[in-house]
Amino acid sequence: MKIGITCYPTYGGSGIVATELGMELAARGHEVHFITYANPIRLDAGLPRIYYHEVEVSTYPLFQYPPYDLALASRMAEIAEWQNLDLLHVHYAIPHSASAYLARGILQHSRRLPYVTTLHGTDITLVGADRSYLPITRFSIEQSDGVTAISEHLRQQTVDALGVKSDIRVIHNFVNCDLYRMPRTTHDGRPRLLHISNFREVKRVTDCVEVLAHVRAEVDCELWLAGDGPDRGAAERLAFQLGVHDHVRFLGKQNHIERLIPQCDVLLLPSSMESFGLAALEAMACGVIPVATRVGGIPELVTHGVDGFLEDVGDTSAQAKRVIEILSSGDLRTRMKWAARDTAEGRFCSTKIIPRYEAYYREVAGL
Ligand code: GMT
């Protein structure tokens, strides 16, 4: 098939999933056209059957707000026609779904251009429920030829919070189990806790620092923070206040986290909301045990006490106790890291999830 993919090309789960999906589809013989305003961060544009089409937004003194959504719609229609696309797959409803709706309309007399919208989380939980975006979000989702959500929890929320009436297919996040692997040898040095995110408020990065301080009272360990974003400064200040700054490493944005994760022991995911928790899945595939919060779609991935631990949001002392349990018992650690790998491999491997997208595309495009 010839598939157009639009996503946010910056750091963020939806862009990562869209990019990895495009590369997996291309590896399976499809032609994939990324239509975005910048090269998606994890995109290897040198791969066969991968194409990148930049969306340019002109600014004029009259435009206080350059109309990106319109430039995107025009570009989608243009690329669909030039490249003879079978469908568009947009990730994150706002504004991509509305742009795809317009692109389909632009071409309505010359060709059929169905579009699939994949909902990722904050497009529904935060932005979609904002009154100023609600009518257009609901409309463009309902107008989609196909809608998927990355967890059952998000599907239900879309129905409850937005009143969307479409049939929403749940297709969970996935991981490439060949790329994300268990390390061959255990790393040298003291135990390492890892957190990966875009450091937005919802991620509660400062909770990771609190957890580190609690754990360090009993076990010598360090914390690696991968990523960057608005709460970086707060995390740094808290590390100083709690006297643990010498044990925290700020790694910044990382392009190859599959090399970083296997060097760690526990993944901290203390988010106040998480529709799925891609970082936890990537960690589990590498045998790194997640200590996460019992929110959103995380329980669809992590089974408490089996392949990770789930605690309440903000309860950093309970989260720390779980980390101490993992680090203090070799048996528990071994059992849980293999269970984590089994979950990733058995239920969320790209080899299992990508065919579900392919089947859905065929259904939507009537091929
Ligand atoms: O909040 C983020 O980290 C970014 C956000 C996005 O849409 O880019 O991530 C969401 O999509 C990911 C991929 O599908 C999910 O794994 C994350 O759980 C989800 N984030 C939230 O729901 C907060």
Side-chain angles (χ1 to χ4, degrees):
M1 296 179 74
K2 293 185 173 196
I3 302 147
I5 292 186
T6 291
C7 62
Y8 282 108
T10 48
Y11 286 82
S14 60
I16 289 170
V17 168
T19 309
E20 306 268 10
L21 172 63
M23 293 193 295
E24 295 275 356
L25 288 166
R28 295 167 71 93
H30 303 283
E31 198 175 289
V32 180
H33 295 263
F34 282 90
I35 309 168
T36 48
Y37 64 78
N39 227 318
I41 48 152
R42 286 199 195 170
L43 182 66
D44 184 348
L47 290 173
R49 294 178 292 279
I50 291 276
Y51 301 89
Y52 165 61
H53 310 276
E54 192 156 314
V55 180
E56 284 174 26
V57 191
S58 344
T59 53
Y60 294 106
L62 198 62
F63 294 165
Q64 190 179 349
Y65 306 105
Y68 170 68
D69 348 14
L70 303 184
L72 175 61
S74 294
R75 190 77 168 136
M76 283 170 160
E78 189 174 73
I79 300 302
E81 196 162 28
W82 291 348
Q83 304 293 340
N84 199 18
L85 298 186
D86 292 305
L87 87 162
L88 292 173
H89 186 177
V90 301
H91 293 259
Y92 209 89
I94 302 170
H96 305 142
S97 198
S99 300
Y101 169 78
L102 290 174
R104 187 181 68 186
I106 293 170
L107 297 178
Q108 64 185 325
H109 299 301
S110 58
R111 62 181 308 116
R112 183 165 180 257
L113 181 65
Y115 73 94
V116 172
T117 301
T118 288
L119 311 172
H120 282 269
T122 48
D123 44 353
I124 298 303
T125 52
L126 299 179
V127 196
D130 183 322
R131 296 302 314 174
S132 51
Y133 295 112
L134 196 140
I136 185 76
T137 308
R138 184 167 46 211
F139 174 79
S140 53
I141 292 172
E142 286 186 338
Q143 289 296 319
S144 307
D145 299 274
V147 186
T148 77
I150 50 120
S151 63
E152 172 53 33
H153 177 269
L154 183 61
R155 187 198 67 75
Q156 194 57 51
Q157 266 213 317
T158 309
V159 173
D160 295 346
L162 265 67
V164 165
K165 296 199 175 53
S166 323
D167 178 31
I168 302 174
R169 191 75 53 96
V170 174
I171 304 184
H172 285 119
N173 283 175
F174 56 89
V175 66
N176 184 318
C177 297
D178 296 327
L179 201 59
Y180 289 77
R181 288 181 309 192
M182 306 276 282
R184 276 177 225 270
T185 51
T186 47
H187 67 83
D188 297 336
R190 52 193 185 157
R192 255 170 232 149
L193 319 184
L194 173 67
H195 173 77
I196 309 166
S197 78
N198 44 21
F199 289 37
R200 286 184 298 156
E201 198 185 341
V202 69
K203 302 292 179 182
R204 299 183 66 99
V205 186
T206 50
D207 281 8
C208 298
V209 179
E210 277 185 29
V211 169
L212 174 75
H214 285 303
V215 175
R216 282 194 51 76
E218 294 196 30
V219 182
D220 182 23
C221 63
E222 62 187 10
L223 170 65
W224 284 11
L225 294 172
D228 206 352
D231 283 351
R232 184 191 196 280
E236 215 166 350
R237 280 192 296 279
L238 186 65
F240 267 95
Q241 273 166 23
L242 299 180
V244 292
H245 54 280
D246 284 341
H247 311 286
V248 183
R249 259 182 87 180
F250 287 88
L251 301 165
K253 292 176 180 172
Q254 294 289 318
N255 283 338
H256 289 284
I257 55 155
E258 75 280 3
R259 296 180 198 156
L260 188 76
I261 298 173
Q263 300 176 49
C264 301
D265 303 283
V266 173
L267 179 98
L268 300 179
L269 189 64
S271 310
S272 55
M273 178 43 71
E274 204 66 65
S275 293
F276 182 84
L278 179 63
L281 173 59
E282 290 172 335
M284 289 165 81
C286 300
V288 173
I289 303 160
V291 173
T293 39
R294 196 178 283 105
V295 291
I298 299 181
E300 294 173 43
L301 167 67
V302 178
T303 305
H304 180 67
V306 176
D307 49 20
F309 285 113
L310 300 175
E311 294 297 343
D312 290 342
V313 175
D315 193 347
T316 53
S317 92
Q319 292 163 26
K321 276 192 192 130
R322 296 305 186 182
V323 176
I324 294 167
E325 262 181 68
I326 295 167
L327 298 184
S328 325
S329 160
D331 283 354
L332 181 76
R333 200 154 144 187
T334 307
R335 182 164 50 78
M336 289 187 86
K337 76 179 186 188
W338 281 104
R341 171 71 195 182
D342 282 352
T343 298
E345 211 174 324
R347 293 176 52 211
F348 301 102
C349 233
S350 44
T351 49
K352 295 205 156 56
I353 304 287
I354 306 300
R356 298 197 55 209
Y357 276 113
E358 289 176 308
Y360 194 52
Y361 290 162
R362 282 195 291 271
E363 196 180 314
V364 165
L367 294 173

